[in-house]
Amino acid sequence: MTIKTTIASLALLGTAFSTAPASAHSSLETGQATADSMYKAVMRVPHGCDGKPTIALTIDIPEGVIATKPMPKPGWKLETVWGAYGKTYDYYGTPMSEGVTQIRWSGGALPDDFYDEFVFRARITGDLAGTTIAFPTTQFCPEGAQVAWTEIAAPGQNPHDLPHPAPALMVVAAAEKSGRGHGHGGMQTAMADGVAVEAPFARATAGPARNGAAFLTVRNAGAEADRLIGAKTPVAERAELHTHLHENGVMKMRPVEAIAVPAGGVATLEPGGDHIMMMGLKAPLKEGESFPLTLIFEKAGEVTVDVPIGGVGAMQGSGDSSHHGTHGMKMKSN
């Protein structure tokens, strides 16, 4: 196995550490994720090692969790160990056969009576649907002390019965797309970490147009607000978040940094309002076809949906080609 690290190896992570007892275990803030989606992992570390501070932490990445990117922590050094996956996975059309197998933070100090969080993002592949996976996590402390949360429950065993259970994640299957009968071509749902994307659609482009727009609804079932911060699609050179502003009777289109998705609420991207602008189309958008669109959320990560293409003036995903809301308005794009 080929190993790759981002910084120098950590000499303090040797094998001569002893194990110290602790009263509360490390755990994931969100214990459930959707297969075939991005997952933001927040590892909660509630204490050090039986009175000693935690000065380093490792998290092992299980098979089927790919494209892992850890978040740097102020005051801590960050190292990733790379290795070969057990198989080659498809990552948005790109074959991926190796990646991060372990994350290491070091050089900080988490006192025994304090709490901290260590964060990374990764894609949970479809192979893991219907399973529970473990992220073995080890805390390293001065004078050779450590706490290893690495025990994995046997089938049918309650992990809380283990002295040092590894943080576990339940992976559920992605929501299935509904049929397109009765003209409901855009009525599909895709989910990522509590955020559901519903009813995406785009308008067919006319003539030599190089730009296009996509619309959809985002529902946030979580207890925390999120933000849509970007989008990407292989059918265009780039995708941007845009909104419409009315100034002196003129509708102007403006890019925006993010679109808020309130906790327990809905964000609607629709004609005449917020939308996703696809710039530099590589081919015309043709009615009746579809294309993949990946949405990037600040907390929920990435979720990809298949976007059906309606008529030139479609107002919803049913293929309605009416031009409601556009008559009599002047459009100015800056």
Side-chain angles (χ1 to χ4, degrees):
M1 179 175 67
T2 302
I3 300 295
K4 172 183 174 183
T5 58
T6 57
I7 63 173
S9 298
L10 303 178
L12 59 91
L13 299 184
T15 59
F17 289 96
S18 60
T19 300
S23 57
H25 59 81
S26 295
S27 62
L28 291 166
E29 182 177 74
T30 303
Q32 180 174 304
T34 304
D36 279 327
S37 70
M38 297 299 294
Y39 170 65
K40 180 182 178 182
V42 180
M43 189 66 69
R44 301 178 296 189
V45 180
H47 51 65
C49 305
D50 194 26
K52 299 181 177 65
T54 295
I55 58 174
L57 182 97
T58 66
I59 300 175
D60 293 334
I61 307 301
E63 181 69 25
V65 177
I66 66 173
T68 301
K69 289 187 177 182
M71 180 183 293
K73 284 181 64 65
W76 296 73
K77 293 181 181 179
L78 176 60
E79 178 185 41
T80 56
V81 178
W82 280 56
Y85 295 144
K87 57 175 286 187
T88 299
Y89 297 93
D90 177 77
Y91 184 63
Y92 301 118
T94 300
M96 185 171 286
S97 60
E98 65 174 6
V100 175
T101 58
Q102 186 182 77
I103 307 170
R104 301 174 179 178
W105 288 270
S106 68
L110 170 61
D112 192 44
D113 54 353
F114 287 179
Y115 163 94
D116 206 348
E117 296 176 340
F118 297 79
V119 181
F120 64 92
R121 287 180 56 199
R123 182 163 183 83
I124 309 297
T125 62
D127 291 3
L128 299 176
T131 67
T132 297
I133 57 176
F135 291 84
T137 300
T138 303
Q139 297 171 241
F140 297 90
C141 301
E143 301 176 7
Q146 73 172 34
V147 181
W149 306 104
T150 56
E151 297 176 338
I152 299 175
Q157 182 182 18
N158 187 340
H160 295 290
D161 294 336
L162 299 172
H164 294 87
L169 178 70
M170 180 184 297
V171 182
V172 299
E176 294 183 359
K177 298 177 183 178
S178 64
R180 297 188 179 183
H182 306 288
H184 297 288
M187 297 304 293
Q188 70 171 65
T189 300
M191 298 186 67
D193 202 17
V195 169
V197 180
E198 302 175 352
F201 75 98
R203 289 172 165 174
T205 53
R210 290 275 292 159
N211 299 333
F215 313 94
L216 46 89
T217 297
V218 181
R219 297 186 186 275
N220 183 3
E224 295 185 42
D226 205 340
R227 297 197 309 162
L228 177 62
I229 58 174
K232 56 186 177 182
T233 176
V235 304
E237 293 176 1
R238 69 182 189 277
E240 298 178 353
L241 305 180
H242 279 218
T243 193
H244 284 107
L245 300 175
H246 295 269
E247 296 181 359
N248 300 321
V250 178
M251 180 184 287
K252 298 181 180 180
M253 189 166 58
R254 290 281 191 271
V256 294
E257 180 181 346
I259 296 173
V261 187
V266 176
T268 302
L269 281 65
E270 59 187 352
D274 295 334
H275 60 281
I276 297 169
M277 198 70 185
M278 297 170 291
M279 320 290 283
L281 291 172
K282 299 176 183 179
L285 300 181
K286 298 180 180 179
E287 183 175 0
E289 297 182 353
S290 64
F291 61 89
L293 175 68
T294 298
L295 306 174
I296 306 169
F297 293 92
E298 187 173 52
K299 296 179 180 177
E302 297 182 1
V303 58
T304 300
V305 293
D306 186 60
V307 181
I309 302 172
V312 173
M315 297 300 292
Q316 58 185 14
S318 64
D320 175 14
S321 297
S322 62
H323 295 262
H324 301 139
T326 60
H327 181 69
M329 291 185 180
K330 296 179 285 182
M331 180 68 75
K332 179 180 179 181
S333 177
N334 292 334

